[in-house]
Every structure is written in C-alpha cells, then in structure tokens.
Amino acid sequence: MISPKQFIANKKTTIKEAMEKLSSLGKHYSHNILLLTDKNENLEGSVTDGDIRKAFLNGATMETTLQEIGSKTPIVAPEGMPDENMLQLLKINKIQSLPIVNDDGIVVGIKKLEDELDYGRSDNSYAIIMAGGLGSRLMPLTSDIPKPMLKVCDKPILQILIESLKYYGFNDIVINIRYLSDIIVDYFKDGSDFDVNIQYIKEPEPMGTAGSLGLIDNGILSEKPFLVINGDILTTLNFRSFFDFHNAAEYDFTLCGRPYKVKIPFGYPVIEGDTVTEFKEKPEFVHLVNSGIYCISPELVQMVTKNEYFDMPDLIDAAIESKKRIGVFPLREAFHEIGRIETYKEAEGFYKKHFLHGITTDWYMHNS
C-alpha cells in the first residue's frame, strides 16, 4: 500500500497542472491516479491518464479543470481488505490504481496493479515493425542504407524502437523488410544480442502499409492482438498502456492519434444555418492525425487482400464497413517522425531531450 499524499489534487487543478503532476509521479505515469478530495480529505473523485485522453477527444483544453473530467464515483477498497481481494478488484474492473478508504471516507492508501505484476512483463504478444520502405524523401541519405537504419546519436532508429518495445515487455518482434534488407538482418540477426526474438517477413514487391500482414504465419497472429508500428518514428509512448487500452476497451482496431495544429490565416465566422453566431480572428484548430502506431485484433488480418497492395487506411475502411469497433488512443507523449531530411536532422535533439535524460514529456504540454 502506498501513501496517498503525493496523489492528492484539488478539483480546480487544470489538466496542464495534472499532467505535470502525473509525470512527476514516475516513469509509468499512465498507470497513476490523482485523487480529488475535499478540505477534510474525503474522496470526491479521481482522474487518470485515460480520463485526460478521453477529455481531449471531447474538446477539453489544457485549462479545463479536473472537476469537469474526473470520475465522481471511483472504485475504492475499504481499509483492511485482503491484498488478494484488492488485486481481484483491480483486474475485474481493468484499472491500475485502487484508492483505499477508511470508515470516514478518507483516503489512507493506494493499491497499484503494477506493484503486483512485472511491469515489463512479456506475454508473448507480438509487435510488427514496418521497415521495408525506400525512404525516397531521405535520398541521398538512404541510397545505400534503409531508412530505419539511419543513426540517431550513433544508434539506428530501428534499434531505439526495439529497445522501447522490449522495455514494455514486447520481446517477440516481426520486422517487415524489403529495401536493402540484408543490412537489417545482418545487424539484428535473430535478436538475441538485444535480448528479444526477431523474425522477418520480406515483401517480394511493395505491398503497402498493411499488405505484408497477409504474409505473416497465421500461428503468430491467430491468438492475441498485436502492435504494428512504422519503423521511422521515435516516441516515448508507453506501448504497454496502449496495448492494455485496446484490450480493456475491447476494440478490434486502435490507432494512436497525435494532435496536429491547423491555423486559419483569415477571419473565421461560426455559422448556424445562415446566421453568424461568433467571429474568430485567425483561429487555430487541433485535430488528431494518424501517428503510424496501431493495435490490431487477429481476426482483422483476414480482411487483408492476399498478395496485393493494401494500405492501412484500406484495412480501417474494411473494418468500419464490417461494423468492427475502431478506437483512437490520443497520443500525448513525445513523438517525432523521420520522414524528411529536415526531420532527420532534428531527431538527434529530440533523442537527447526525451531519451538520454530519461525524460517523458507530454506532447500536449509542449505544443499547446
């Protein structure tokens, strides 16, 4: 049981302040909780990382207060409940933190699921990395090396990604290869030097961002959801939390949506019917855009057209048409895509800021 003092927050706390506090509670902040109490320390509500992500999807801003987004009826355990019963409560309700209250409703402790489990656990779930592209926009840098093997601070992009996956318990990795594939295979081999298990699938020709899924052995993707990640990104995303989010919500397909700002350089009338109700001068809108990170349930692989070009948007459209549950996980962690020479030059600074010093920075916090 953990002392609750560091988890206490005021109802008037803003989302920005809450994100800073959650981050300060430890590297695995997405599993933390903030407890909303009155002046007598009676529990009145709670806010989790998931609550904040959902709030952003519903239009919340960094200045939205916690009383507007928090759960007013958090699941709690009475003081004295046996540990095994609290663990059962955590698992049944698919939550990461359980406030413990005394007879007066005052929080006296917190039970956390990660204290009971190996956080970097491996459950034989697979991560598939798409690393077969030509990297045309990075020519001439990619004329003799695959884009995912370009180095950032003397380490290939692909290695950084594999190390992140391993940290979150994804030890079974499949790498999709094609362009200059021998360089990738010769470097990583079977993955044993990196303490992971690596298999390869080689496209005979370009097959799109999802087509190669049809080449993977059915035994690999037949039982559990799996991750699919573009091989040209750097991110501090907690891959385990993303995976758990997909399973807890029982989605068939979940994509990471990162915030992208669009600024209108003109005056913008807000119109209802033919009436202007508000006028905004050069407004800025934030949309969630695809980040190239997905969690997919195995039955969707059957929708991939075999041995044909098939992009991930094609798979999403097919899933929607088949009435599958498609979810979005708002990505508020640091993210950097290396798609152009300019972004490759920026990658070293990104890596030094977010990886070398162990900093996990929230995307929204620095881009709002």
Side-chain angles (χ1 to χ4, degrees):
M1 185 172 71
I2 305 170
S3 170
K5 290 184 179 179
Q6 59 183 327
F7 298 91
I8 300 295
N10 188 285
K11 291 184 292 185
K12 299 295 184 181
T13 298
T14 65
I15 285 182
K16 181 178 181 180
E17 293 167 337
M19 289 166 63
E20 291 172 344
K21 187 173 181 66
L22 282 170
S23 295
S24 73
L25 292 174
K27 183 174 289 186
H28 309 314
Y29 59 87
S30 58
H31 284 186
N32 282 323
I33 188 172
L34 293 181
L35 305 175
L36 310 182
T37 62
D38 62 17
K39 61 182 180 181
N40 297 318
E41 297 186 353
N42 290 293
L43 183 64
E44 293 189 326
S46 66
V47 172
T48 65
D49 175 80
D51 292 326
I52 292 175
R53 294 183 195 270
K54 291 174 186 175
F56 281 133
L57 287 176
N58 293 325
T61 70
M62 297 297 285
E63 301 307 314
T64 300
T65 61
L66 298 190
Q67 67 179 352
E68 299 175 64
I69 69 168
S71 169
K72 295 180 173 58
T73 56
I75 297 168
V76 301
E79 187 176 19
M81 175 180 275
D83 282 355
E84 58 268 25
N85 291 355
M86 286 194 283
L87 181 58
Q88 192 172 24
L89 262 182
L90 286 161
K91 289 182 175 180
I92 289 174
N93 291 284
K94 299 178 181 178
I95 55 177
Q96 298 294 331
S97 300
L98 182 68
I100 301 168
V101 299
N102 63 17
D103 292 340
D104 296 320
I106 296 174
V107 183
V108 295
I110 293 178
K111 186 71 172 178
K112 295 176 71 66
L113 183 61
E114 67 182 58
D115 294 337
E116 304 297 327
L117 302 174
D118 177 8
Y119 188 79
R121 66 194 184 280
S122 174
D123 56 3
N124 298 318
S125 299
Y126 278 87
I128 300 169
I129 303 175
M130 298 299 183
L134 290 173
S136 302
R137 291 179 297 167
L138 279 160
M139 289 289 184
L141 298 179
T142 52
S143 60
D144 58 0
I145 189 170
K147 177 169 62 171
M149 294 302 291
L150 290 173
K151 290 188 176 182
V152 175
C153 292
D154 296 321
K155 186 180 291 188
I157 300 166
L158 193 52
Q159 182 179 342
I160 296 170
L161 190 51
I162 288 172
E163 289 174 349
S164 294
L165 287 167
K166 173 181 165 44
Y167 182 78
Y168 290 112
F170 292 90
N171 296 335
D172 294 300
I173 296 170
V174 177
I175 304 178
N176 169 58
I177 54 177
R178 189 178 66 82
Y179 176 65
L180 299 176
S181 58
D182 288 347
I183 295 176
I184 294 176
V185 176
D186 290 344
Y187 187 88
F188 291 103
K189 299 182 176 63
D190 64 357
S192 56
D193 290 343
F194 302 89
D195 202 22
V196 295
N197 307 309
I198 296 179
Q199 299 180 51
Y200 301 92
I201 48 170
K202 187 171 182 178
E203 296 181 352
E205 58 185 356
M207 300 184 69
T209 52
S212 62
L213 295 179
L215 301 177
I216 300 176
D217 187 317
N218 289 337
I220 291 178
L221 304 183
S222 63
E223 297 182 0
K224 297 180 179 179
F226 55 91
L227 300 184
V228 178
I229 307 160
N230 289 350
D232 61 352
I233 61 175
L234 300 176
T235 180
T236 57
L237 170 66
N238 181 327
F239 290 106
R240 180 57 59 181
S241 288
F242 174 53
F243 186 77
D244 290 345
F245 174 88
H246 171 90
N247 288 322
E250 298 181 343
Y251 287 125
D252 298 299
F253 187 111
T254 305
L255 61 89
C256 267
R258 61 185 176 89
Y260 183 80
K261 290 182 179 180
V262 178
K263 189 167 186 177
I264 307 296
F266 309 102
Y268 176 83
V270 178
I271 300 173
E272 293 183 9
D274 58 359
T275 303
V276 176
T277 59
E278 187 179 357
F279 191 86
K280 299 180 179 180
E281 184 61 31
K282 299 179 180 179
E284 191 171 78
F285 298 94
V286 178
H287 300 277
L288 288 179
V289 299
N290 188 20
S291 65
I293 304 171
Y294 316 93
C295 191
I296 304 174
S297 294
E299 56 269 20
L300 265 64
V301 177
Q302 300 173 8
M303 297 181 178
V304 177
T305 306
K306 303 292 184 181
N307 301 314
E308 290 185 18
Y309 194 94
F310 202 80
D311 273 329
M312 198 61 75
D314 298 324
L315 179 56
I316 294 172
D317 288 342
I320 293 173
E321 187 174 339
S322 298
K323 308 300 182 184
K324 298 296 185 180
R325 281 174 50 79
I326 314 295
V328 62
F329 182 84
L331 180 66
R332 65 178 182 85
E333 290 82 359
F335 177 92
H336 187 75
E337 182 179 13
I338 303 171
R340 297 173 287 108
I341 289 179
E342 293 79 7
T343 54
Y344 176 59
K345 291 178 179 178
E346 296 166 354
E348 182 172 336
F350 178 92
Y351 183 81
K352 288 180 177 178
K353 179 177 181 180
H354 297 289
F355 285 83
L356 289 186
H357 302 297
I359 299 173
T360 301
T361 308
D362 299 317
W363 198 98
Y364 266 102
M365 199 175 296
H366 293 276
N367 293 271
S368 300

